[in-house]
Amino acid sequence: MLNMPHPARATIVDVARAAGVSRQTVSNAINSPERVSPDTLSRVLQVVEELNYRPSSAARTLRHQRAGAVGTELNAVTGTPSEVALPFLTALTLAAPGHACHMVPFASREAFPMLSGYQDMVRRRLVDAFVLTDTHPADPRPDWLEQAGIPYASFGRIYDDSSRVWWADVDGSAGTSAAVAHLAETGFRTVGFLGWPAGSAVGDDRRLGWLAGVEQHGLALGPEAAAPQSLSQAISAAERLLDGLAVGDAVVCASDVLALGVQQAALARGWRPGRDIGITGFDGSATAQLHDISTLVQPLDEIAEHLLTVVHDQLAGAPAPTQGALFLPTLTVGASTVTTSMKGTP
Amino acid sequence: MLNMPHPARATIVDVARAAGVSRQTVSNAINSPERVSPDTLSRVLQVVEELNYRPSSAARTLRHQRAGAVGTELNAVTGTPSEVALPFLTALTLAAPGHACHMVPFASREAFPMLSGYQDMVRRRLVDAFVLTDTHPADPRPDWLEQAGIPYASFGRIYDDSSRVWWADVDGSAGTSAAVAHLAETGFRTVGFLGWPAGSAVGDDRRLGWLAGVEQHGLALGPEAAAPQSLSQAISAAERLLDGLAVGDAVVCASDVLALGVQQAALARGWRPGRDIGITGFDGSATAQLHDISTLVQPLDEIAEHLLTVVHDQLAGAPAPTQGALFLPTLTVGASTVTTSMKGTP
């Protein structure tokens, strides 16, 4: 018996691409045909038929019988929200019309137990489902949402129960491995690591990619150090780390703030980032952009698209995915890894 | 005939304060009394009567006969959104339930003419009104919204027509004057300025506050320079500026990124921020927090509250405000202006 891969179901993206129109136009053709010109409407509906695209159960249910909205929490508790929070909300907001829904943010100043805001949104019938962010071990939200029968999908793994697969996340170790590969290509031969203190699932994953990359590319393993997500502490840790490195070496970092710490510590000892020391960050944040640091950019558009699809499938009663989805980050090169031809090749 | 000031109408904030409950509880007492305990309900309704609070026209209309939502655009065009964008959206989201509404963000990748996203939200009946951000001269949105009869309020002045008063903004010159006052108190005697290139209404306003503050506090006027909102250009401009200053002087900046440029240029010449050179930024951004720079924090909660009130009044057909609302920023002191007792007082 052949174990053929199940043919992928056509998505709204496939239809939009084949018809040469935007996702919004596909959605309009299905939900508000009066808003689409007759020519376009006929072309889109033909592609819908050819690809056997079936949006009705999920999208129409969401649009016509429910709130038609997906809630997402904005962190109003800590003073320093994730640097990815706004770009991710923007990606969700851009993706939502293609899923015949809109996003409704909510926020609370209460730190714990965090569930009241979710309960309130459901009671007010403002949303049908949630996209979670900032998942963490002992997160009470997945349990509560499942018990309440409320669909959700999360940006970030669900740590306590591997049978829960309604998530998408960034492949951190693949990312730091790619950073090492880039440093090897650029001519750096010894690569150290600045991470977060051990025990952070995300940080530990990013550390593994550094080790694997150094091994794979036959580079020398540099020293490692750790600091929390604070610039002053990152600078202190980087100073110690740089004491064990030399001009021409490089440091892979678990975040852009840590990479900024290495950049500042290097500048303080007169090492020019990119020439005297290679530095890579992680997250593609505004901080990396501002300081011209090479960084691993999270594919937020793809992740948002995946999560809204997962939410729709749940609302439509479609079968659960068999596993969470890992997405590869892509390296954006800044001045922190741009070397001149001064380096010899080995 | 006496020209008495019109007594201020009680707001939901007044009721919440007098009853000792949250705004959300006041809103619940009026819109969903079944969700409030009998004791609390009776107390809130008594205060509502005492203060003659009349939420029904605006809040109920918004809640029961309309979408009950206010739209706000997320900038998906430029790669670097305003650092205030997420904190401001969070402030609106926190304030919304107190106005019996929720926020619905929308975004578009089209740079111009920008109106299609607004039109689309109205057509889909997702929102009743908008909160605008990033207003600028020749902004097409106020004209279009007024012609379409759609209520709005804007964070930022409406530049082309001073008769349009549906706005709230930060008093930039009062902010930079306060920064100069703080520098004077801390012992700095000469204060320069790093701004944006002339012609930016916001930047020109912040420059005026520097001039006024230096005059008012009897300080010496230092040199000035300008750079766009780019770190590398800010550093270049700061280098020239610092050539005209000495250890013990200070620089007031029109933004946190510009202040970061001064900080980096100072460090590069071995001047310790806060001790050898005073530096203030503007906006209370994550960048200022990360780099421990003294900055003027915008009162986003008050501004959000004001704008949602203005939107409600329009929906309720209440009279127009007579003028826009200016809010004072408050200085948060970081390491960039903390001097030791080494400075003598004059």
Side-chain angles (χ1 to χ4, degrees), chain A residues 234-252:
Chain A
I235 291 174
S236 301
E239 281 165 356
R240 294 191 300 276
L241 193 63
L242 294 182
D243 287 342
L245 289 166
V247 165
D249 295 343
V251 181
V252 166

Side-chain angles (χ1 to χ4, degrees), chain B residues 16-342:
Chain B
R17 204 170 282 156
V21 298
S22 70
R23 272 180 246 155
Q24 180 63 58
T25 301
V26 177
S27 170
N28 288 347
I30 291 157
N31 295 299
S32 320
E34 74 284 359
R35 294 174 50 193
V36 181
S37 75
D39 284 355
T40 308
L41 183 62
S42 132
R43 180 153 43 101
V44 171
L45 294 181
Q46 196 183 331
V47 171
V48 163
E49 201 165 5
E50 284 168 8
L51 299 183
N52 194 24
Y53 173 60
R54 284 160 303 162
S56 52
S57 50
R60 295 207 143 163
T61 299
L62 191 58
R63 187 169 181 84
H64 296 295
Q65 291 163 32
R66 316 208 193 200
V70 175
T72 194
E73 187 182 7
L74 302 180
N75 182 344
V77 178
T78 65
T80 49
S82 151
E83 294 208 69
V84 179
L86 181 60
F88 180 57
L89 177 61
T90 304
L92 286 170
T93 300
L94 284 164
H99 295 269
C101 68
H102 58 281
M103 301 302 302
V104 176
F106 62 102
S108 160
R109 295 218 193 269
E110 290 166 45
F112 288 99
M114 301 201 305
L115 293 181
S116 61
Y118 290 81
Q119 290 166 330
D120 191 52
M121 294 296 280
V122 172
R123 274 205 219 98
R124 291 163 72 199
R125 300 193 188 182
L126 291 180
V127 301
D128 309 308
F130 293 97
V131 167
L132 308 183
T133 58
D134 301 319
T135 54
H136 51 83
D139 190 336
R141 296 172 298 175
D143 265 349
W144 179 78
L145 290 166
E146 290 192 21
Q147 279 159 22
I150 299 164
Y152 70 93
S154 87
F155 179 18
R157 275 155 261 214
I158 297 165
Y159 291 96
D160 301 323
D161 183 348
S162 61
S163 73
R164 292 179 177 165
V165 292
W166 313 114
W167 57 261
D169 207 345
V170 171
D171 190 335
S173 66
T176 43
S177 278
V180 173
H182 164 69
L183 290 166
E185 276 166 28
T186 323
F188 295 99
R189 303 265 68 88
T190 300
V191 181
F193 183 72
L194 182 58
W196 292 311
S200 140
V202 173
D204 294 350
D205 187 34
R206 294 177 182 183
R207 179 177 174 275
L208 287 181
W210 160 65
L211 290 172
V214 167
E215 166 93 19
Q216 186 188 337
H217 295 279
L219 303 182
L221 197 68
E224 63 178 306
Q229 190 76 342
S230 134
L231 181 57
S232 58
Q233 291 179 271
I235 291 174
S236 302
E239 281 164 356
R240 295 191 300 276
L241 193 61
L242 294 182
D243 287 342
L245 289 165
V247 165
D249 294 344
V251 181
V252 166
C253 302
S255 78
D256 290 332
V257 167
L258 294 176
L260 177 59
V262 176
Q263 188 204 56
Q264 301 282 293
L267 288 170
R269 64 179 66 194
W271 293 9
R272 291 156 302 179
R275 291 183 65 167
D276 301 329
I277 179 99
I279 308 164
T280 64
F282 207 122
D283 283 344
S285 68
T287 293
Q289 199 175 335
L290 187 64
H291 294 272
D292 208 0
I293 292 171
S294 299
T295 184
L296 290 151
V297 179
Q298 305 187 14
L300 299 176
D301 288 333
E302 291 174 54
I303 290 170
E305 189 63 39
H306 179 85
L307 294 175
L308 291 181
T309 302
V310 164
V311 159
H312 262 110
D313 284 352
Q314 287 175 74
L315 285 169
T322 53
Q323 54 187 24
L326 275 180
F327 290 86
L328 290 177
T330 54
L331 190 80
T332 294
V333 175
S336 70
T337 56
V338 174
T339 57
T340 63
S341 55
M342 288 169 63

Side-chain angles (χ1 to χ4, degrees), chain A residues 35 58 61 111 116 142 170 181 188 197 200 205 212-213 225 266 288-289 299 304 309 313 336 339 342:
Chain A
R35 294 174 49 193
T61 300
S116 61
V170 171
F188 295 99
S200 139
D205 188 35
Q289 198 176 334
T309 302
D313 284 353
S336 70
T339 58
M342 287 169 63

Side-chain angles (χ1 to χ4, degrees), chain A:
Chain A
M1 196 167 94
L2 285 176
N3 215 349
M4 292 290 285
H6 190 70
R9 219 174 73 188
T11 68
I12 194 166
V13 176
D14 302 324
V15 176
R17 206 170 280 155
V21 298
S22 70
R23 272 180 245 156
Q24 180 63 58
T25 302
V26 177
S27 171
N28 288 346
I30 292 157
N31 296 299
S32 320
E34 75 284 0
R35 294 174 49 193
V36 181
S37 76
D39 284 357
T40 307
L41 182 62
S42 132
R43 179 153 44 100
V44 171
L45 294 181
Q46 195 182 332
V47 172
V48 164
E49 200 165 6
E50 284 167 9
L51 299 183
N52 193 24
Y53 173 59
R54 284 161 303 163
S56 51
S57 49
R60 293 207 146 163
T61 300
L62 192 60
R63 186 168 182 85
H64 295 295
Q65 291 164 32
R66 315 208 194 202
V70 175
T72 195
E73 187 183 6
L74 301 180
N75 182 344
V77 178
T78 66
T80 49
S82 152
E83 294 208 70
V84 180
L86 181 60
F88 180 57
L89 177 62
T90 305
L92 285 171
T93 301
L94 284 164
H99 295 269
C101 69
H102 59 281
M103 301 303 301
V104 176
F106 63 102
S108 160
R109 294 217 193 270
E110 292 167 40
F112 288 99
M114 299 199 308
L115 293 180
S116 61
Y118 290 81
Q119 290 167 331
D120 191 53
M121 293 297 280
V122 172
R123 275 204 218 100
R124 291 163 72 198
R125 301 195 186 179
L126 290 180
V127 301
D128 309 308
F130 292 98
V131 167
L132 307 183
T133 58
D134 301 319
T135 55
H136 52 82
D139 190 335
R141 296 172 297 174
D143 265 350
W144 180 78
L145 291 166
E146 291 192 21
Q147 280 160 21
I150 299 164
Y152 70 93
S154 87
F155 179 19
R157 274 156 261 213
I158 297 165
Y159 291 95
D160 302 322
D161 183 347
S162 61
S163 73
R164 292 180 176 165
V165 293
W166 314 113
W167 57 261
D169 208 346
V170 171
D171 190 336
S173 66
T176 43
S177 279
V180 173
H182 164 69
L183 291 166
E185 276 167 28
T186 323
F188 295 99
R189 303 264 68 87
T190 299
V191 180
F193 182 72
L194 181 58
W196 292 310
S200 139
V202 173
D204 295 351
D205 188 35
R206 294 178 183 183
R207 178 176 173 275
L208 288 179
W210 160 65
L211 289 171
V214 167
E215 167 93 19
Q216 186 189 339
H217 295 280
L219 303 181
L221 196 68
E224 62 179 304
Q229 191 75 342
S230 133
L231 181 57
S232 59
Q233 292 179 270
I235 291 174
S236 301
E239 281 165 356
R240 294 191 300 276
L241 193 63
L242 294 182
D243 287 342
L245 289 166
V247 165
D249 295 343
V251 181
V252 166
C253 303
S255 78
D256 290 333
V257 167
L258 295 176
L260 178 59
V262 177
Q263 188 205 56
Q264 301 282 297
L267 288 169
R269 63 180 66 196
W271 294 9
R272 292 155 302 179
R275 291 183 65 167
D276 300 328
I277 179 97
I279 308 165
T280 64
F282 207 123
D283 285 342
S285 67
T287 293
Q289 198 176 334
L290 186 64
H291 294 272
D292 208 1
I293 292 171
S294 299
T295 185
L296 290 150
V297 179
Q298 306 188 14
L300 299 177
D301 287 333
E302 292 173 55
I303 289 170
E305 188 64 37
H306 178 85
L307 294 175
L308 292 181
T309 302
V310 164
V311 159
H312 261 111
D313 284 353
Q314 288 175 72
L315 286 169
T322 54
Q323 53 186 25
L326 277 180
F327 291 86
L328 291 176
T330 53
L331 190 81
T332 294
V333 176
S336 70
T337 57
V338 174
T339 58
T340 64
S341 57
M342 287 169 63
K343 279 174 200 300
T345 41

